[in-house]
Amino acid sequence: MTTPTRHFLRDDDLSPAELRSVLELALAFRDDRFIRSPLVGPRAVAVIFDKPTLRTQVSFTTGIAELGGFPLVVDGKLAGIGKRESITDTTRVLDRQVAAIVWRTHDQSRLEEMAAVSRVPVVNALTDQFHPCQILADLATIAQHRGGVGRLAGKTLAYVGDGANNMAHSYLLGGATAGLHVRVGTPRAYLPDPQVVADAAAIATTTGGSVQVVHTIEEAVAGADAVATDTWVSMGQEDEAGERETPFMPFRLDSAALALAAPDALVLHCLPAYRGKEITAEVLDGPQSVVWDEAEFRLHAQKALLSFLLERS
């Protein structure tokens, strides 16, 4: 019997037990970056970018090389996937030549169309709806600073800012899968997708976590073990920058807001950050900030994820 190909398109594509396994491997990779080499050969991994990138490109290309492989970086605009050539036809070309496909693209449906026909693992490197590799890095960062993966369950993670963006959706799903109590603090006009909230709530019933959407930063942050935020203007929303500042300003993460969290609360930001907007410089650069560890953990978490998917496909 042929083993089904495993994909990672959204956070709940990993079960709670699988998530724990990936996170534990991520911490192991942090301690020894060459403990596994599933891509030795080297085998190529296609890394496709339809959107601007820094951390994603650096962490995936470095990680694939450290796993013994060759990162085949593809400019999505030049490839014209879905325009010059259909997603299905593109996938049929790629999956005969590469061990996995990593795609940073726009709508989630594009990724799902690729995964439906791909014979190799497809990884979501960011879509408009989800950013699951970032949440793997965030959870690994929290685990590293709080005594291991086994200490994640029961912790409270507050996310403040745009509740309708990909980070909010992935915090809900990934946090619930890890057994966290996830609070999303956002204006009423920027709510998460109700189906994502429902999916996360269903997962939380099995892991002991919980999900909650609130509408003040005080409700979100109170007593939290980790506080995360993100830019108020995601890629593709640049024309909305002016109108977004007023509703989101009450959700800016500053020292007064952070003081409401647990005394040793960790500060997370997926970057790029805009000091003085969604977060103040004193918080981003302060002693509770772990954003640089978080950025590094993109490397370790994605190596762990690729190892997991390749070993099971």
Side-chain angles (χ1 to χ4, degrees), residues 95-165:
D95 74 0
R96 288 170 177 252
Q97 302 183 57
V98 302
I101 303 169
V102 176
W103 197 7
R104 182 179 176 94
T105 190
H106 299 278
D107 195 79
Q108 183 78 7
S109 62
R110 289 166 60 79
L111 206 69
E112 292 169 353
E113 185 175 346
M114 176 174 279
V117 297
S118 179
R119 298 174 299 178
V120 300
V122 174
V123 174
N124 182 350
L126 177 144
T127 63
D128 294 342
Q129 288 80 24
F130 302 102
H131 198 358
C133 286
Q134 180 65 58
I135 268 54
L136 290 180
D138 290 10
L139 293 172
T141 303
I142 297 170
Q144 179 70 28
H145 285 269
R146 290 295 177 264
V149 178
R151 302 290 297 274
L152 284 174
K155 293 286 191 294
T156 297
L157 184 148
Y159 167 80
V160 294
D162 186 356
N165 74 5

Side-chain angles (χ1 to χ4, degrees), residues 43-123:
R43 301 163 70 195
V45 174
V47 190
I48 309 169
F49 298 108
D50 293 344
K51 288 189 171 188
T53 179
L54 171 65
R55 278 151 295 280
T56 298
Q57 182 170 357
V58 171
S59 56
F60 267 112
T61 55
T62 301
I64 290 162
E66 291 186 356
L67 292 175
F70 173 75
L72 177 64
V73 177
V74 178
D75 184 327
K77 292 181 180 179
L78 290 178
I81 302 172
K83 294 182 179 179
R84 177 174 175 269
E85 189 169 14
S86 73
I87 293 173
T88 295
D89 287 356
T90 300
T91 307
R92 286 172 172 162
V93 170
L94 290 174
D95 74 0
R96 288 170 177 252
Q97 302 183 57
V98 302
I101 303 169
V102 176
W103 197 7
R104 182 179 176 94
T105 190
H106 299 278
D107 195 79
Q108 183 78 7
S109 62
R110 289 166 60 79
L111 206 69
E112 292 169 353
E113 185 175 346
M114 176 174 279
V117 297
S118 179
R119 298 174 299 178
V120 300
V122 174
V123 174

Side-chain angles (χ1 to χ4, degrees), residues 87-263:
I87 293 173
T88 295
D89 287 356
T90 300
T91 307
R92 286 172 172 162
V93 170
L94 290 174
D95 74 0
R96 288 170 177 252
Q97 302 183 57
V98 302
I101 303 169
V102 176
W103 197 7
R104 182 179 176 94
T105 190
H106 299 278
D107 195 79
Q108 183 78 7
S109 62
R110 289 166 60 79
L111 206 69
E112 292 169 353
E113 185 175 346
M114 176 174 279
V117 297
S118 179
R119 298 174 299 178
V120 300
V122 174
V123 174
N124 182 350
L126 177 144
T127 63
D128 294 342
Q129 288 80 24
F130 302 102
H131 198 358
C133 286
Q134 180 65 58
I135 268 54
L136 290 180
D138 290 10
L139 293 172
T141 303
I142 297 170
Q144 179 70 28
H145 285 269
R146 290 295 177 264
V149 178
R151 302 290 297 274
L152 284 174
K155 293 286 191 294
T156 297
L157 184 148
Y159 167 80
V160 294
D162 186 356
N165 74 5
N166 49 15
M167 287 300 296
H169 291 156
S170 279
Y171 274 127
L172 286 163
L173 291 176
T177 303
L180 298 177
H181 301 294
V182 182
R183 299 188 203 133
V184 173
T186 187
R188 294 181 186 277
Y190 298 90
L191 297 177
D193 182 330
Q195 186 59 58
V196 172
V197 176
D199 291 346
I203 294 168
T205 64
T206 70
T207 62
S210 64
V211 297
Q212 187 179 13
V213 179
V214 297
H215 304 296
T216 68
I217 195 169
E218 291 81 7
E219 290 176 279
V221 171
D225 300 293
V227 183
T229 190
D230 185 22
T231 177
W232 297 334
V233 183
S234 297
M235 285 177 282
Q237 299 173 336
E238 289 80 6
D239 292 344
E240 302 175 23
E243 66 190 66
R244 282 173 167 262
E245 188 160 324
T246 297
F248 284 121
M249 189 59 73
F251 293 87
R252 181 174 66 180
L253 183 55
D254 57 20
S255 57
L258 184 59
L260 301 174

